[in-house]
Amino acid sequence: MSSTEASPKIGVSTFVMITAAVVVSVRTLPMTAQPGMMTIFLTLAAALLFLVPTALVAAELATAWPQDGGIFIWVREAFGERLGFVAVWMQWIQMVFGMTSIIMIIAATIAYVVDPALASNKYFMLGMILLVWWGCTLVNLQGVKTLGWVSTICVSLGVFLPGIVLIIAGIAYVLGGNPIMTDVSFSMSNMIPHFSDAGTLGLFIGFIFVVMGMEVSASNVSSIKDAKRNYPIAIILVSIIMVFLSVVGSAAIFVAIPKEEISMTAGLMQAFELYFTKWGMPWLAPVMGLSIALGLIGQVNSWVLGPVRGLQATANSGALPAFLQKSNKHGVPVTLVIIQAVAISLVGVLITVIPDVDNFYFMLMGLTGLVYLVAYLIMFAAAIWLRYKRPDIERSFKVPGGNLGMWIVSGMGFVMSLLAAYLAFIPPGSFKGSASGYFMFQLIGLIVMLVIPFLVYAYGQKDKLRQAKKLQVVAANKAAKQEALDEQHAAAH
């Protein structure tokens, strides 16, 4: 029995907190608030067309193959080990870039509370990247039980608390008869976007990026009590929380701030400052800032062992070199986690030496989404194929509607992933560089990120072959020695 299997199991409530820490955050509310009333349509559309397919597919696959490894196990079963490694690599490498950007938001939020000038200090940013990620790494080295209670604290104080306070403040603002600063009429023109506009399409893709990541928690499915029953329950609850917070939390911002004036990075603090100053409690705004930072740290903490569990499964299957297979007594892949921390540290150092951080940030975020979408494309295709390849595997939860239902659900997720990937090559409106330079960065970056896992896998196979040959040589030498001893024994008699 592996150390992971021997570890104490976690309940559904703890797993809800771990999953919520991965995908639920108040940091995206300023972005989802900017369209005003259209946020209702865009959130529900992103949930229906991408979040629901991801949640349903992940629930079926995780309960059919309830062992650590997540997307690697699923794709390996469908298309083989090589493509399984490519899928989990893309899921993992996007996290290296994406988590760096989230820690930068944590740093900016803390700087707002301590000294706003620090937000533009690259060395402060680097220090925060190193402190937060290495701190979360040390916590995760203690195993999934520690991850559970840390996630519970961070999500409770850093997501639910500021989210609830923001929503209550918005309701109190409206009931108090204060002026509504954004058009909240329920007219078609005010609620339904025009999808012929490229800007609106780009905005919609932003909403899809908000709901990404639901499948990551499946990497820890073996740690859940009664996983076949509790995993689907957990992701349904988290999905409801995500949609509710996105719609109602966004409304709490745009009712008090004109949507044209909502800052992408500081929108939450704009709202809290406005509300608390109005009610004579300006000191509460920094408290909420620290609370938000805590929630983001919880989100970062929950990603430390997410995709890397998939890499651990590839290492344990022999697809990666032997030195990457080391785990501690808690079942945590120590070598992989340390390599991950070093990689994120290097990205942090890179940020400090890039002259135009804003443009690099936009390009990096575009590449992050593009790389992640490759993993989704493979996952949705694998879900369909496994219905035909492995119909014998018991699935305690199945996507409704039989094979046709799977085609519709996974097909919807696949098409949305393709659309999002296409739009990822188009620079956002606030990007100040050239469109061609942005396009080439995404294209070259995607090619490099696709080539690397094939090279790493090929090296792992060579190392596996070398290890097998060594074992054969050792076995042959042992047999030869035994044969010599037998001959000597026979000659003596």
Side-chain angles (χ1 to χ4, degrees):
M1 179 178 291
S2 69
S3 55
T4 303
E5 293 173 337
S7 299
K9 300 287 186 177
I10 57 175
V12 65
S13 60
T14 300
F15 190 70
V16 165
M17 287 298 184
I18 293 175
T19 306
V22 172
V23 295
V24 180
S25 175
V26 293
R27 71 181 173 88
T28 57
L29 291 181
M31 187 277 289
T32 55
Q34 286 185 341
M37 289 294 285
M38 288 183 186
T39 192
I40 299 174
F41 176 87
L42 291 169
T43 298
L44 293 177
L48 178 64
L49 299 176
F50 192 85
L51 175 61
V52 170
T54 301
L56 292 176
V57 166
E60 173 169 326
L61 296 176
T63 54
W65 288 273
Q67 62 258 50
D68 285 351
I71 196 171
F72 166 72
I73 301 295
W74 311 335
V75 177
R76 183 188 67 182
E77 291 294 321
F79 304 127
E81 189 176 74
R82 187 195 307 272
L83 203 55
F85 176 65
V86 172
V88 76
W89 168 274
M90 302 305 265
Q91 186 191 57
W92 172 75
I93 199 65
Q94 68 81 25
M95 183 273 300
V96 171
F97 299 133
M99 289 301 104
T100 306
S101 68
I102 292 179
I103 299 176
M104 290 174 69
I105 297 175
I106 295 172
T109 304
I110 293 175
Y112 174 88
V113 175
V114 179
D115 179 7
L118 289 173
S120 58
N121 187 312
K122 293 182 179 180
Y123 296 104
F124 174 72
M125 286 288 179
L126 174 60
M128 288 300 299
I129 289 171
L130 297 177
L131 177 64
V132 171
W133 190 263
W134 281 96
C136 290
T137 296
L138 293 176
V139 168
N140 278 267
L141 287 174
Q142 302 307 308
V144 72
K145 289 293 285 187
T146 302
L147 170 63
W149 67 258
V150 170
S151 295
T152 298
I153 292 173
C154 290
V155 171
S156 299
L157 298 180
V159 177
F160 294 157
L161 176 62
I164 291 171
V165 170
L166 178 66
I167 290 169
I168 292 174
I171 293 173
Y173 180 87
V174 173
L175 294 180
N178 295 288
I180 306 301
M181 305 306 294
T182 300
D183 183 2
V184 293
S185 64
F186 285 87
S187 64
M188 291 286 290
S189 60
N190 193 41
M191 295 192 66
I192 310 299
H194 300 286
F195 284 98
S196 58
D197 177 24
T200 302
L201 276 176
L203 186 63
F204 178 51
I205 297 308
F207 276 73
I208 288 181
F209 286 162
V210 168
V211 299
M212 282 182 169
M214 184 63 74
E215 83 294 342
V216 171
S217 62
S219 295
N220 292 313
V221 72
S222 68
S223 301
I224 314 168
K225 296 175 184 175
D226 193 7
K228 289 181 177 291
R229 171 184 176 273
N230 289 335
Y231 180 81
I233 292 174
I235 62 172
I236 289 170
L237 290 174
V238 174
S239 298
I240 293 171
I241 292 170
M242 286 180 71
V243 172
F244 177 81
L245 181 62
S246 179
V247 172
V248 184
S250 298
I253 295 177
F254 67 65
V255 294
I257 304 171
K259 62 181 183 179
E260 299 81 8
E261 298 177 13
I262 297 173
S263 167
M264 188 75 79
T265 56
L268 268 174
M269 297 311 300
Q270 281 179 294
F272 281 129
E273 272 196 330
L274 185 151
Y275 289 137
F276 293 142
T277 300
K278 182 178 182 61
W279 296 323
M281 299 180 290
W283 54 271
L284 266 179
V287 173
M288 285 296 101
L290 292 175
S291 180
I292 292 166
L294 179 64
L296 291 176
I297 291 173
Q299 186 175 33
V300 170
N301 187 68
S302 295
W303 276 84
V304 172
L305 282 184
V308 86
R309 284 288 195 193
L311 288 180
Q312 181 186 24
T314 67
N316 292 344
S317 71
L320 294 181
F323 74 93
L324 295 177
Q325 299 174 22
K326 181 181 179 182
S327 297
N328 65 12
K329 63 181 181 180
H330 301 291
V332 178
V334 178
T335 307
L336 288 171
V337 167
I338 297 299
I339 290 175
Q340 177 175 264
V342 171
I344 288 179
S345 300
L346 292 175
V347 174
V349 171
L350 183 62
I351 289 173
T352 65
V353 299
I354 294 293
D356 193 340
V357 176
D358 288 341
N359 270 1
F360 180 71
Y361 178 86
F362 282 123
M363 291 190 295
L364 200 59
M365 287 303 94
L367 181 60
T368 299
L370 190 58
V371 166
Y372 202 176
L373 287 165
V374 173
Y376 277 109
L377 288 169
I378 300 173
M379 183 188 77
F380 287 124
I384 295 173
W385 186 241
L386 284 170
R387 278 290 186 96
Y388 298 93
K389 183 181 179 181
R390 300 301 304 273
D392 56 305
I393 296 295
E394 179 189 354
R395 294 158 166 84
S396 60
F397 175 88
K398 295 186 71 171
V399 173
N403 288 347
L404 177 61
M406 176 59 84
W407 272 99
I408 293 172
V409 170
S410 289
M412 191 182 303
F414 192 90
V415 169
M416 295 311 302
S417 298
L418 279 179
L419 175 61
Y422 166 74
L423 292 172
F425 285 98
I426 302 173
S430 48
F431 181 72
K432 298 176 182 178
S434 69
S436 60
Y438 184 93
F439 176 85
M440 290 306 297
F441 179 87
Q442 305 304 322
L443 180 61
I444 294 172
L446 178 60
I447 292 172
V448 170
M449 292 303 162
L450 275 170
V451 169
I452 289 176
F454 284 102
L455 295 177
V456 172
Y457 182 83
Y459 175 78
Q461 294 304 296
K462 288 183 179 179
D463 183 71
K464 185 178 180 179
L465 185 60
R466 284 195 298 268
Q467 295 296 327
K469 287 182 177 179
K470 285 182 180 179
L471 289 176
Q472 288 177 355
V473 171
V474 170
N477 290 338
K478 185 176 180 180
K481 288 180 180 179
Q482 184 61 47
E483 184 178 353
L485 288 173
D486 291 343
E487 289 178 355
Q488 291 177 5
H489 182 74
H493 291 80

